Amino acid sequence: EPLPHDQRSSLVSSLGSESRLFCLIKSLGKELLCAYPARKNKRRMATLGGTIATSGDVQREQAEARVVERRRRLEDERKQRIFNAKQRTIGIDKQALERQQLEKDAATDMEARRDQAFADRLLVTEQRVQLMERDVQRARKEATISVQAYREQMQQRHMRKEWDLNDPHALRKEQPARVGDQDPLIGPSSLQKFSGEDLDYGNRVRKQQQQQATWVVDQMMERQSQIDNEREMERLAAERQAEVDERRGQMEEEEMRARENMNVAVRDYNRALSDVKRDREASRRMQDMEDAQEEIRNQLNSDLLTENPNATVSSSNPNRFLKYNYKGMSPEQQAAVRNEQARQAAEQEERRLREKEEEQNWDLVQEAVRRNLIAGEREVFRRKQELAKQTAEEQRRQAEEARMRKEVLYKQVYAGAIDDTFFMQFGTSSR
């Protein structure tokens, strides 16, 4: 469907020029033709050797060739990536990623500029439509106002020709049937005046209504005076409350001043207590420092730091050491321990040699036993072979005897075999 002139002009202005638009549409058409080839509508032409390929065949072959070429190119690029040990082990193809990112950014930028152009054009169109709608609404409003003014001035209800029939106050405007007792229009046959009729009923009702209205006014005045009295009482109560609030404020101020004085006294007392506590803590810290120095002197001169060897021996048993105060062995004790360790090492080496010699003896015994077992197994295998050979000989002998018995039976005992002579005897005799 063709675009309107204003949309076409906005699209041309956003793209740059009509030639650029034409090139863009042409390239888009080529891409669509390559991506979606036409259906098979080949026209085959009869020739001596067969058929001639049409333009559709050529395009399809070109498209297939491009696809094959693209796959080969991708395969070559993939081989370069795979066979490149540095790139495969260190990371990915940064240049390809950057190129893809640039292409993606360019496509995104182009899409954004196109969307912005469409949005600007849509905004301008929307503004124009709103202005046109506003003008139409204004014209409609003015026409409605003028029609309504004409109706109010020239088409009122009382100006209609049938107003006399539709007037709701027509009966009120008519002359009553009886104006008064001396009305000359009232005749004997009018039936408007009767004996015993209460003619002052209307006056009496009006007087009663006036009296009732007077009572209502009096009640309203009494109610208003009551309201005024209540307001005066409220004003007096408000004044009394204001006096009470003022007196309470003065009492609160006095209480605040007394509390401030008490806080000052408490602060002074706390300050004095703080000074006493600070002096006491200072004297305590001084005493602690002296105790600590005395403790340090005692520790420096103690058997623990001086490592007195006499302090490690128990007082009840000279050969027993105290675990919690043990400071190590003397050089003589260390030499004795080393001698004992050397003696134990020599004993262990001698024991290891004896065990090795015993293991060698056991190996010799096991080798002799193994050889005896192998000889016994060989003897058993030889006996099995001889027994099998004897069994085979016996089975061959029995088979030969069975064959000979069968031959004797079938050739000598059961010699009545059917041959040609048996069939030749038929028809030679009446029997």
Side-chain angles (χ1 to χ4, degrees):
E1 184 178 358
L3 294 175
H5 179 70
D6 54 353
Q7 296 184 5
R8 185 169 61 253
S9 60
S10 64
L11 181 59
V12 170
S13 61
S14 63
L15 292 175
S17 63
E18 292 185 358
S19 61
R20 186 178 177 184
L21 175 61
F22 179 76
C23 294
L24 179 61
I25 293 174
K26 187 176 180 181
S27 62
L28 181 60
K30 290 182 178 179
E31 292 178 359
L32 290 175
L33 287 175
C34 294
Y36 303 97
R39 294 184 178 178
K40 296 181 180 179
N41 54 359
K42 297 184 298 181
R43 294 182 295 104
R44 300 193 176 274
M45 300 174 60
T47 60
L48 295 176
T51 60
I52 296 177
T54 60
S55 60
D57 297 332
V58 175
Q59 291 180 359
R60 186 176 67 257
E61 291 177 358
Q62 291 178 357
E64 292 177 355
R66 285 195 297 270
V67 171
V68 172
E69 182 64 26
R70 183 177 62 83
R71 290 182 179 176
R72 289 177 180 175
R73 187 177 65 257
L74 293 176
E75 182 65 20
D76 294 338
E77 293 177 357
R78 184 169 179 271
K79 288 180 180 179
Q80 292 177 2
R81 290 196 304 271
I82 292 175
F83 296 154
N84 189 356
K86 182 178 180 181
Q87 182 178 356
R88 187 181 67 254
T89 56
I90 292 178
I92 59 178
D93 191 357
K94 185 177 180 182
Q95 296 178 356
L97 291 179
E98 290 178 353
R99 184 171 62 256
Q100 292 177 4
Q101 185 64 31
L102 291 176
E103 293 176 357
K104 185 176 181 181
D105 294 341
T108 304
D109 189 13
M110 183 176 179
E111 186 72 16
R113 285 190 282 104
R114 185 177 65 83
D115 293 342
Q116 185 64 32
F118 286 147
D120 296 340
R121 184 60 187 172
L122 181 62
L123 182 60
V124 172
T125 305
E126 184 67 22
Q127 291 177 356
R128 291 180 180 178
V129 170
Q130 290 180 0
L131 291 175
M132 294 175 65
E133 289 182 355
R134 196 176 302 169
D135 295 338
V136 172
Q137 291 178 1
R138 187 184 301 109
R140 288 179 180 175
K141 186 176 181 181
E142 291 176 355
T144 304
I145 291 173
S146 61
V147 170
Q148 187 65 26
Y150 177 79
R151 288 176 179 175
E152 291 178 356
Q153 293 178 3
M154 306 302 297
Q155 294 181 355
Q156 296 183 6
R157 297 180 63 186
H158 66 276
M159 295 181 181
R160 299 175 183 175
K161 60 183 180 180
E162 66 271 8
W163 174 249
D164 296 337
L165 299 177
N166 298 327
D167 189 2
H169 302 293
L171 296 177
R172 296 181 182 180
K173 295 179 181 179
E174 291 181 355
Q175 186 177 2
R178 180 180 178 182
V179 178
D181 295 339
Q182 304 299 327
D183 189 358
L185 298 177
I186 300 175
S189 63
S190 62
L191 298 177
Q192 295 293 325
K193 185 176 179 182
F194 301 95
S195 60
E197 187 177 10
D198 190 2
L199 299 179
D200 294 334
Y201 176 76
N203 296 329
R204 185 172 64 254
V205 171
R206 283 194 294 273
K207 289 181 180 179
Q208 290 177 355
Q209 290 177 353
Q210 292 176 357
Q211 187 177 6
Q212 188 174 5
T214 304
W215 289 348
V216 170
V217 171
D218 294 339
Q219 290 178 0
M220 290 175 64
M221 293 178 63
E222 291 178 358
R223 179 62 180 170
Q224 186 65 32
S225 62
Q226 184 178 1
I227 292 173
D228 295 339
N229 293 332
E230 291 178 356
R231 289 179 179 176
E232 184 66 21
M233 293 177 66
E234 290 177 357
R235 186 182 62 79
L236 295 175
E239 293 178 355
R240 179 61 179 171
Q241 185 66 29
E243 293 177 358
V244 171
D245 293 340
E246 183 179 1
R247 179 58 180 168
R248 183 172 59 188
Q250 294 176 359
M251 295 176 66
E252 289 179 354
E253 290 179 357
E254 293 177 358
E255 183 180 0
M256 290 294 294
R257 286 195 296 272
R259 186 173 295 175
E260 289 178 357
N261 296 331
M262 184 176 65
N263 290 334
V264 170
V266 170
R267 185 173 62 251
D268 295 339
Y269 178 72
N270 291 335
R271 187 175 298 169
L273 289 178
S274 177
D275 295 339
V276 173
K277 182 178 180 181
R278 186 170 56 254
D279 296 339
R280 184 169 62 251
E281 289 180 353
S283 61
R284 183 175 59 79
R285 285 196 297 271
M286 185 61 69
Q287 184 65 32
D288 292 341
M289 290 176 62
E290 293 177 356
D291 295 341
Q293 291 178 358
E294 184 66 24
E295 180 68 20
I296 291 171
R297 287 194 297 270
N298 293 332
Q299 290 294 333
L300 291 175
N301 298 325
S302 63
D303 295 335
L304 179 63
L305 297 180
T306 56
E307 295 185 358
N308 187 8
N310 297 325
T312 61
V313 181
S314 175
S315 60
S316 60
N317 187 2
N319 296 324
R320 183 173 174 271
F321 294 96
L322 300 177
K323 296 180 180 180
Y324 59 86
N325 202 19
Y326 185 68
K327 299 299 180 181
M329 295 184 295
S330 62
E332 294 80 4
Q333 294 175 346
Q334 293 179 1
V337 170
R338 290 192 186 95
N339 295 331
E340 182 64 22
Q341 289 178 351
R343 185 184 63 77
Q344 292 178 359
E347 291 179 356
Q348 186 175 3
E349 182 66 21
E350 185 179 357
R351 184 168 59 255
R352 187 180 64 79
L353 293 175
R354 287 198 304 269
E355 291 176 356
K356 185 176 181 180
E357 186 177 357
E358 291 179 358
E359 288 178 358
Q360 291 177 355
N361 295 331
W362 275 109
D363 292 339
L364 294 175
V365 172
Q366 290 178 358
E367 182 65 21
V369 171
R370 186 182 67 81
R371 290 179 179 178
N372 293 329
L373 290 175
I374 291 173
E377 289 178 357
R378 289 177 179 175
E379 182 66 22
V380 171
F381 181 72
R382 187 180 58 78
R383 291 180 181 179
K384 287 183 178 180
Q385 286 182 346
E386 292 179 355
L387 181 60
K389 188 181 294 184
Q390 294 176 2
T391 303
E393 291 292 338
E394 182 66 23
Q395 289 178 353
R396 281 196 296 270
R397 187 182 60 78
Q398 292 178 0
E400 184 65 24
E401 292 179 356
R403 186 183 62 79
M404 293 175 65
R405 284 198 302 272
K406 187 182 295 185
E407 186 177 358
V408 171
L409 288 175
Y410 286 100
K411 288 184 178 181
Q412 297 179 8
V413 179
Y414 307 110
I418 299 174
D419 52 4
D420 294 337
T421 58
F422 176 75
F423 296 100
M424 290 174 63
Q425 65 182 352
F426 289 101
T428 59
S429 174
S430 60
R431 300 292 297 178

